[in-house]
Each structure stands twice: as C-alpha cells, then as structure tokens.
C-alpha cells in the first residue's frame, strides 16, 4: 500500500495551478445522463473519484473517452439503470445518478450508500423529494428502487436541512420532469451554481441560481443537449494550499482560483495574521510567523466549509493561543484529532467542539489518514513537524487531490510516495 513520507521543516516557495473541482465535476458527470448527445468536459481533476463515476457511466452503457482532465461522454445508448454496490460502496457520490436516471428512464436501482468515516450521511431528503415528485420508492436488498413510469412531476420541495447532494439530485430530476419544480432551502455552493448554469445553457428555464430558492421548468422527458463545460477551480484544494503557506510560514502563489469561492477561508487566514495579493485568478499568500488563534464554526456556503475544517485545525496547532473549532455539518468529522495529537498537537475534543492549544513544535510520526480532508490536514502538519512523518492509507487523498505530492514537490516540500 502507498504512503507519503514527509521530511518536515522545509519552507515552500513558487506557484502551482489549482485543478478542477471534484465536487463540481461529480454532479456534472451525473448530469450528462440527462442527455442523449455527446458532451465534452474539460478541467476535470485527475483523481480516483472521477474515474469511479466515469466507470459507472460505462457500466450503464454510456460511452466515455477519458484522458486526464478531459472526458468525452455520450449517454445515448444507456441500457442499464442499475448503479451497483461495487461502485456505490467505493464512492457515495454515486447516489447522484439517482435523480437523472429516474428522470430520463422512469426507473432505476441504486445501491444504498452506507455510513462513512465522517458520519451517517443519510439520503432521506433525496428520497422524500423524489416521492413528492411522484416517484414510487422502495428499499430492498440494499438498493433504492425508484419508479415513475410516466415521468416525474414538478413539485414544491422544501428541504428540512440544506443538502448539497440532495439539491443536486433534485435539480437534475426536475430538469426532465413534467411541470415546474421549486426547491426551497436549496444549497448555494459554487458547485450547484455550475450545475444549474450547465442545465440553463442547455436551454432549460431555471431561476434563482445561487439562491436558496431554485425554480426549474422541466422538459417533460425531452433529453438535453449540453454545451461543452469547463469545470470550475477546486475551492477546497485552493484553501488547502493556502493553509500550506500559512502553516510553513511561506509565501506561495496559487493560480487558476476563484477568490470569491474561498472568501471564508481567506477571511479566517487574514484573522490569523496572513495577508494576500489577489490578481485576477491568482492569489499570493504572505504569511506571518505569529499566527493568531481562530474560532471556526462550519456551516453551509458561503459560510466556513466543513471540507476546510481539518486543514485549519492543523494550522491552528501553530497559533500563539487557543483556537475553538465547532463542526456543525457532520457528527464524526474529527477523526484527524487523535492523529494530529500523535504528531504532538494538544487538541481537546468534546462533542462537536475541538479546542486547539498551542504547542511549540510538532514531531514527525506514523499517522493514518481516515478521510479525504483529514488526510490533507496530516500532510499540512507533516510539512512543519520536526523529522519524518509517514502518512498511511493515502488512498483517501488520491480520491480527491490531483497530484498532491507533485504540487507540493514543485513548491519545494520534501515529500515522496513510497510503498510497503
Ligand atoms: C457534499 O456532500 C460534499 N460531497 C462533501 O464533500 C461536503 O462535505 C458536503 O457536501 C457538505 O458541504 C460532494 O459534493 C460529492 P450534504 P453531501 O447532503 O452532499 C445531512 C469532500 O471531502 N443530510 O450537504 O453528502 C448530512 O448527513 C466531501 O469532498 C441528511 O440528513 O452533503 C449532513 O449532516 C465530504 N439527509 C448534512 O445534511 C439527507 O438526505 C449536509 O450533507 C442528506 C443530507
């Protein structure tokens, strides 16, 4: 199994380019099911999760030519509507095919994603909304079986809780429904904006993009023709590299990033004492060697993202005072705490709040990655730890960070991928 070895203590310098957003690419790949014409996607991140979803399309009968950052997809000949356990168990975002398969073919079976390292992550809100649109849903043999033989009907959907995947599934389902769907309390993440814009550019009437009420006039089962689409920059990858600059007290430049999408992370780093030069789509961080402590509460966009919580916790270990970090989205997203403490941090956990007390130095050790963002927090800590840090189970990182060690090497880190 591969692991990463980092010799800590190196200053970083130079620039790297941010890849396309995994969490935008995944729903957009799922949305291609709404079309029976070829579509070209560019700026895809070259990560395992993207390859997994493309593999699922092929299993359904889609044609896919994929080469690193570009995919040509043609879903004209889809001949299966079953998303099997083998794929969904590898990646829960496969649930995003539920809405588009049901909307286009009037039936589908999707393996029920189980729990995951960061929490239970139910899909009840997706299912309830599809039922409100006229679907018959049953759960049998570990699968969600959904039917709407005469197509889905437009409906008023009120989400009890803001859900990114739920909003995406219902936006896609509503696109081919009969009549108009209004989604109230929808998520507003940039990834949802890109999905809605791609659907709007295919000629669908869709209002309220980027707001908490989205209205979609369905095409009554007429498949779409999408424009070629370039995936937006990955805001979480961008934030992670800014944290690398902050924790190592290094000035680095990240290119091809949308500063508006990472405003909450920039704001937190600023309150810790870092400053920035933002020119077009490039951001240079000017760090400080006296990082101030922070208070963070994770919430939905445009608030502070749960996907940046672990990385900021790593940075907070180097601050000059106590930081408080509250996780509000997922009930178990603190698995990195005990691993960071193995590197010498002093983090105290109670319920969904972590208190991070300052330490003079972190020390290299063997640590285990537990989920994607937890893994990147361990990498950040390894960059400043004294001595060698070995990060195991990095298949989590490979799911969502495009060429992480290549980019860190380019910035001057001493990092290598080894195998045992
Ligand atoms: C998306 O997950 C992202 N995944 C996650 O990124 C991200 O952490 C999360 O949104 C929150 O921003 C992708 O975009 C592929 P949710 P998703 O539905 O859609 C509860 C990463 O590291 N909920 O917005 O699954 C749920 O349990 C990943 O890249 C229900 O109760 O998240 C959670 O507490 C990890 N019932 C909250 O809502 C439902 O039916 C928000 O989850 C659906 C969700």
């Amino acid at each position: 199994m591969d692991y990463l070895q980092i010799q800590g203590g190196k200053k970083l310098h130079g620039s790297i380019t941010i890849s396309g957003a995994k969490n935008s690419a995944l729903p957009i790949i799922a949305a291609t099911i709404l079309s029976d014409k070829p579509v070209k996607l560019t700026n895809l991140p070259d990560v395992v999760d993207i390859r997994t979803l493309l593999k699922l399309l092929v299993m359904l009968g889609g044609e896919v030519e994929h080469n690193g950052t570009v995919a040509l997809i043609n879903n004209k000949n889809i001949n299966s509507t079953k998303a099997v356990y083998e794929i969904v168990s590898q990646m829960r975002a496969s649930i995003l095919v539920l809405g588009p398969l049901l909307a286009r073919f009037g039936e589908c079976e999707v393996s029920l994603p189980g729990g995951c390292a960061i929490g239970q992550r139910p899909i009840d809100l997706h299912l309830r909304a599809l039922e409100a649109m006229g679907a018959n849903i049953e759960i049998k043999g570990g699968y969600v079986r959904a039917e709407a033989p005469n197509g889905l009907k437009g409906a008023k959907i009120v989400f009890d809780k803001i859900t990114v995947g739920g909003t995406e599934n219902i936006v896609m389902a509503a696109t081919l429904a009969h009549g108009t769907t209004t989604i109230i309390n929808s998520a507003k993440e940039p990834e949802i904006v890109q999905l809605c814009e791609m659907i709007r550019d295919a000629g669908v009437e869709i209002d309220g993009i980027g707001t908490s009420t989205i209205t979609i006039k369905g095409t009554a089962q007429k498949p779409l023709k999408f424009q070629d689409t370039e995936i937006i920059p990955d805001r979480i990858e961008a934030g992670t590299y800014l944290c690398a600059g902050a924790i190592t007290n290094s000035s680095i430049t990240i290119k091809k990033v949308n500063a508006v999408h990472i405003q909450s992370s920039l704001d937190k780093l600023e309150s810790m004492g870092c400053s920035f030069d933002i020119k077009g789509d490039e951001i240079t961080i000017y760090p400080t060697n006296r990082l101030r402590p922070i208070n963070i509460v994770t919430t939905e966009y445009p608030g502070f993202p749960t996907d940046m919580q672990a990385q900021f916790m790593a940075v907070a270990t180097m601050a000059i005072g106590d930081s408080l970090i509250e996780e509000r989205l997922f009930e178990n997203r603190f698995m990195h705490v005990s691993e960071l403490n193995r590197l010498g941090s002093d983090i105290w956990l109670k319920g969904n709040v972590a208190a991070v007390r300052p330490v003079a130095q972190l020390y290299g050790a063997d640590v285990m990655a537990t989920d994607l963002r937890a893994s990147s927090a361990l990498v950040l800590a390894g960059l400043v730890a004294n001595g060698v840090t070995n990060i195991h189970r990095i298949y989590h990182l490979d799911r969502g960070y495009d060429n992480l060690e290549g980019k860190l090497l380019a910035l001057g880190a001493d990092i290598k991928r080894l195998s045992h």
Side-chain angles (χ1 to χ4, degrees):
M1 227 192 269
D2 286 1
Y3 64 101
L4 284 179
Q5 185 167 83
I6 302 175
Q7 174 74 53
K10 285 266 187 324
K11 277 257 182 177
L12 306 183
H13 52 83
S15 64
I16 46 140
T17 300
I18 298 304
S19 298
K22 164 184 84 77
N23 289 349
S24 200
L26 290 171
I28 279 178
I29 291 170
T32 65
I33 294 173
L34 299 167
S35 169
D36 58 357
K37 306 275 183 317
V39 55
K40 183 177 176 182
L41 305 179
T42 57
N43 201 36
L44 292 167
D46 195 0
V47 297
V48 171
D49 274 9
I50 298 301
R51 294 196 279 277
T52 305
L53 193 56
L54 291 173
K55 187 169 155 198
L56 174 56
L57 285 190
V58 172
M59 288 171 84
L60 298 176
E63 285 158 34
V64 175
E65 280 175 47
H66 179 215
N67 185 2
T69 59
V70 179
L72 285 172
I73 301 173
N74 188 346
N75 287 325
K76 182 171 172 226
N77 296 323
I78 284 189
N79 52 14
S80 160
T81 54
K82 182 167 183 174
V84 295
Y85 175 74
E86 181 202 342
I87 295 285
V88 183
S89 59
Q90 284 173 42
M91 186 186 65
R92 27 176 326 114
S94 319
I95 195 66
L96 292 172
V97 301
L98 177 64
L101 279 177
L102 181 59
R104 182 165 157 207
F105 300 102
E107 51 138 42
C108 67
E109 263 186 278
V110 179
S111 177
L112 194 60
C116 114
I118 63 176
Q120 290 184 39
R121 304 185 72 184
I123 55 158
D124 55 316
L125 301 174
H126 304 225
L127 301 185
R128 229 183 288 153
L130 289 172
E131 279 174 339
M133 297 175 76
N136 286 320
I137 293 187
E138 71 169 347
I139 295 181
K140 214 171 179 183
Y143 279 78
V144 178
R145 293 184 187 178
E147 272 184 11
N150 301 317
L152 292 165
K153 298 185 305 247
K156 183 170 117 183
I157 309 292
V158 185
F159 280 125
D160 288 348
K161 216 182 208 182
I162 298 176
T163 159
V164 171
T167 303
E168 290 163 345
N169 241 333
I170 301 312
V171 163
M172 292 187 278
T175 295
L176 299 194
H178 296 263
T180 298
T181 300
T182 304
I183 308 172
I184 294 165
N185 203 23
S186 58
K188 295 184 279 204
E189 271 67 4
E191 294 77 20
I192 288 171
V193 170
Q194 179 161 46
L195 174 68
C196 290
E197 286 176 349
M198 184 195 185
I199 289 171
R200 180 199 60 199
D201 293 348
V204 175
E205 269 182 53
I206 174 163
D207 289 326
I209 297 178
T211 75
S212 53
T213 303
I214 304 175
T215 307
I216 302 154
K217 191 167 167 209
T219 66
Q221 289 182 288
K222 182 170 178 280
L224 308 183
K225 173 160 180 15
F226 287 118
Q227 312 281 320
D228 294 348
T229 299
E230 179 180 343
I231 303 300
I232 57 170
D234 194 316
R235 62 195 168 100
I236 306 301
E237 189 197 19
T240 303
Y241 285 105
L242 291 177
C243 284
I247 198 169
T248 60
N249 188 19
S250 308
S251 183
I252 59 171
T253 299
I254 55 171
K255 296 181 174 175
K256 218 171 161 186
V257 57
N258 187 330
V260 174
H261 293 172
I262 58 169
Q263 202 49 59
S264 59
S265 293
L266 292 175
D267 187 59
K268 288 295 170 200
L269 285 169
E270 239 165 23
S271 72
M272 295 182 91
C274 301
S275 53
F276 302 94
D277 191 9
I278 303 176
K279 281 199 193 116
D281 65 357
E282 291 190 15
I283 303 181
T284 300
I285 178 169
Y286 299 105
T288 167
N289 59 5
R290 278 181 64 77
L291 281 166
R292 290 193 289 268
I294 28 157
N295 289 335
I296 284 176
V297 177
T298 65
T299 182
E300 294 86 4
Y301 186 86
F304 186 88
T306 174
D307 291 346
M308 285 303 302
Q309 178 256 106
Q311 301 88 317
F312 270 81
M313 189 179 292
V315 179
T317 64
M318 292 288 102
I320 53 171
D322 293 7
S323 298
L324 275 184
I325 300 181
E326 185 176 341
E327 172 57 54
R328 290 224 183 136
L329 288 218
F330 293 107
E331 65 274 18
N332 194 27
R333 211 173 192 179
F334 276 141
M335 302 275 279
H336 42 284
V337 168
S338 41
E339 296 302 301
L340 286 172
N341 283 346
R342 299 197 79 244
L343 295 172
S345 66
D346 182 7
I347 306 170
W348 178 83
L349 196 54
K350 182 133 201 264
N352 66 337
V353 179
V356 187
R357 298 167 177 144
V359 289
Q361 179 70 61
L362 298 178
Y363 294 94
D366 284 270
V367 287
M368 203 182 285
T370 50
D371 78 75
L372 176 57
R373 310 304 171 187
S375 319
S376 64
L378 299 178
V379 171
L380 294 174
L383 292 173
V384 279
N386 194 346
V388 173
T389 299
N390 293 314
I391 302 163
H392 302 274
R393 300 202 181 168
I394 53 164
Y395 49 84
H396 291 292
L397 275 173
D398 293 337
R399 290 184 55 177
Y401 282 94
D402 186 351
N403 189 22
L404 178 93
E405 70 266 27
K407 290 186 185 184
L408 283 173
L409 263 179
L411 292 172
D414 185 344
I415 180 169
K416 52 187 166 218
R417 181 180 286 250
L418 298 168
S419 212
H420 60 77

